Amino acid sequence: MPDTFRALVVDKKDQEFSVKVNELSFGDLQEGEVLIRVHYSGINYKDSLAAHPDGKIIREYPAIPGIDLAGVVVSSDDPQFREGDEVIATSYEIGVSHFGGYSEYARIPGKWIVPLPEGLSLKEAMIIGTAGFTAALSVQRLEKNNLTPENGKVLVTGATGGVGSFAVSILASLGYEVEASTGKDAEHDYLKKLGADTVISREEVYDGELNPIRKQKWAAAVDPVGGEPLASLLTQIQYGGSVAVSGLTGGTELPTSVIPFILRNINLLGIDSVNCPMETRVKTWQRFANDIKPANLEEFVAEEVSLEQLPDVLPKLLKGQVSGRMIVKVKHGDGSGPVKKSPNSPVF
Ligand SMILES: NC(=O)c1ccc[n+]([C@@H]2O[C@H](COP(=O)([O-])OP(=O)(O)OC[C@H]3O[C@@H](n4cnc5c(N)ncnc54)[C@H](OP(=O)(O)O)[C@@H]3O)[C@@H](O)[C@H]2O)c1
């Protein structure tokens, strides 16, 4: 093992905010039973917020963002894991108040770690990441609320985003008729390749006018957008249908009324990936290995970047400029490459 390693450090001192790659020593890492050599991480909306001065994600500076990581166990004080095990760790406090995946090494509590299921590679796990995992949780929750392909068309909003693109693909693979809504005119073919039967504009979901009730259009919806677009789509869900809401890219306010709920008997289902129980986590990752892994997983990769590129690419997600998933290749070659030996870490 080297004496030091590289990580993306976000810091706020006085009025100065910085996002840069620094060299750290192992003593800088926080508590945790399992030391992991990170191979891949991903970029989620939350990671972009973590690297923004007003993002309100990081609780204490300096911090290492990256809510997702996949890698190989270097050492473990948790009997569940051994040196050489391939593992995934996503959310909980990772990349928020516990140092995250934008680091060549991460020390993580054993209770936050999922063994990599057979049939998935470390890279594939990070293409899926929290975004794909949240899409899977959303679809599973809709099915628990009696959604079947016979019920009718399912809408996916924010469809070119991480959660949206996986929701399109998973629903299509399970035999649903999928209608994808996007703000990106140029990406209709991309969404059809992922499995959308039809693609509509954001305005066809929400035209700027909120009516108490509208024509019934969709049996259910996966919604990572929230805000007024969610208020509008609730008025267009078929009798007895459900909406799984996971995100807020369209806003946090929900200016709705009880009308669609009491006239149409609909359900609004909240989706949380952060504190999702470990049993559900393991089962859901296993499903990606068994039956819901998209055949065209590489199609989801918008860009593969290095730690050094992160300060430039992280803001892109906040501008809604990305289609699919950005992944971070943390380990290059045999891993000895860019790591330099230095006794002092300049930041901690
Ligand atoms: N609940 C959870 O556990 C959980 C887990 C993961 C993510 N999330 C949340 O889910 C949301 C999506 O995450 P992500 O990783 O998929 O982000 P993302 O890759 O940035 O995708 C977000 C998509 O939302 C759409 N969008 C952006 N601004 C919009 C606006 N003003 N109005 C309507 N649509 C807009 C865009 O899709 P189009 O251009 O195709 O319309 C964009 O690509 C975020 O709010 C994130 O924090 C929550």
Side-chain angles (χ1 to χ4, degrees):
M1 267 209 327
D3 295 338
T4 63
F5 59 91
R6 293 171 314 130
L8 185 84
V9 177
V10 173
D11 204 2
K12 206 180 211 173
K13 273 194 198 116
D14 304 321
Q15 286 316 304
E16 214 170 296
F17 185 78
S18 62
V19 182
K20 54 187 179 204
V21 174
N22 280 325
E23 211 163 300
L24 310 185
S25 60
F26 286 87
D28 294 325
L29 291 175
Q30 293 146 314
E31 301 272 294
E33 298 85 22
V34 186
L35 182 66
I36 299 168
R37 176 65 165 106
V38 180
H39 286 224
Y40 284 94
S41 181
I43 306 182
N44 295 282
Y45 194 78
K46 204 169 168 181
D47 299 315
S48 294
L49 287 173
H52 190 278
D54 304 319
K56 297 187 176 70
I57 291 292
I58 299 296
R59 303 220 188 105
E60 204 180 323
Y61 295 98
I64 300 174
I67 65 169
D68 293 346
L69 63 93
V72 175
V73 173
V74 175
S75 62
S76 172
D77 293 330
D78 183 325
Q80 289 186 93
F81 301 101
R82 283 190 312 204
E83 184 187 340
D85 285 354
E86 293 186 306
V87 292
I88 306 168
T90 64
S91 31
Y92 291 109
E93 297 298 319
I94 299 168
V96 175
S97 60
H98 192 95
F99 294 167
Y102 298 163
S103 175
E104 290 176 322
Y105 289 86
R107 197 175 279 134
I108 303 288
K111 65 182 179 196
W112 295 351
I113 298 174
V114 175
L116 183 77
E118 208 172 304
L120 271 191
S121 69
L122 293 171
K123 181 177 177 182
E124 286 176 330
M126 287 298 97
I127 298 175
I128 296 164
T130 285
F133 179 74
T134 303
L137 289 180
S138 303
V139 174
Q140 287 176 170
R141 189 79 184 280
L142 290 174
E143 289 192 327
K144 256 195 183 163
N145 278 267
N146 304 322
L147 179 69
T148 67
E150 289 67 45
N151 295 20
K153 217 169 12 181
V154 179
L155 174 71
V156 177
T157 61
T160 66
V163 177
S165 56
F166 271 93
V168 167
S169 166
I170 293 169
L171 285 162
S173 72
L174 295 172
Y176 287 91
E177 182 183 349
V178 184
E179 183 144 88
S181 126
T182 181
K184 300 184 185 83
D185 291 343
E187 300 291 354
H188 288 210
D189 285 346
Y190 168 72
L191 289 168
K192 286 195 173 151
K193 254 196 230 167
L194 296 187
D197 295 284
T198 44
V199 182
I200 58 174
S201 68
R202 282 185 200 166
E203 290 69 32
E204 285 178 73
V205 177
Y206 175 49
D207 59 9
E209 215 173 291
L210 286 172
N211 296 325
I213 203 82
R214 284 188 162 187
K215 195 174 155 210
Q216 303 180 44
K217 281 194 189 159
W218 303 289
V222 173
D223 179 46
V225 169
E228 291 183 0
L230 170 58
S232 178
L233 82 85
L234 285 170
T235 67
Q236 302 171 74
I237 293 293
Q238 284 170 21
Y239 190 91
S242 303
V243 177
V245 58
S246 57
L248 42 74
T249 55
T252 52
E253 300 294 317
L254 184 56
T256 188
S257 77
V258 297
I259 302 297
F261 297 92
I262 62 175
L263 290 189
R264 300 247 172 96
N265 202 30
I266 63 168
N267 310 295
L268 180 56
L269 311 168
I271 303 299
D272 169 52
S273 62
V274 177
N275 291 304
C276 167
M278 189 43 90
E279 197 189 335
T280 309
R281 234 170 240 268
V282 170
K283 275 190 189 153
T284 305
W285 279 109
Q286 191 62 54
R287 280 200 73 184
F288 273 110
N290 294 350
D291 66 323
I292 57 170
K293 178 167 91 177
N296 50 355
L297 207 48
E298 287 289 337
E299 299 260 359
F300 287 81
V301 183
E303 215 175 323
E304 180 176 306
V305 300
S306 64
L307 286 178
E308 280 70 21
Q309 288 171 282
L310 281 170
D312 292 330
V313 299
L314 279 164
K316 281 191 189 176
L317 251 72
L318 297 182
K319 295 180 191 144
Q321 290 173 343
V322 179
S323 295
R325 293 273 296 149
M326 308 265 288
I327 60 164
V328 188
K329 186 171 182 179
V330 181
K331 182 176 185 285
H332 293 266
D334 65 359
S336 59
V339 179
K340 280 190 258 141
K341 295 204 170 199
S342 148
N344 301 313
S345 64
V347 168
F348 289 84

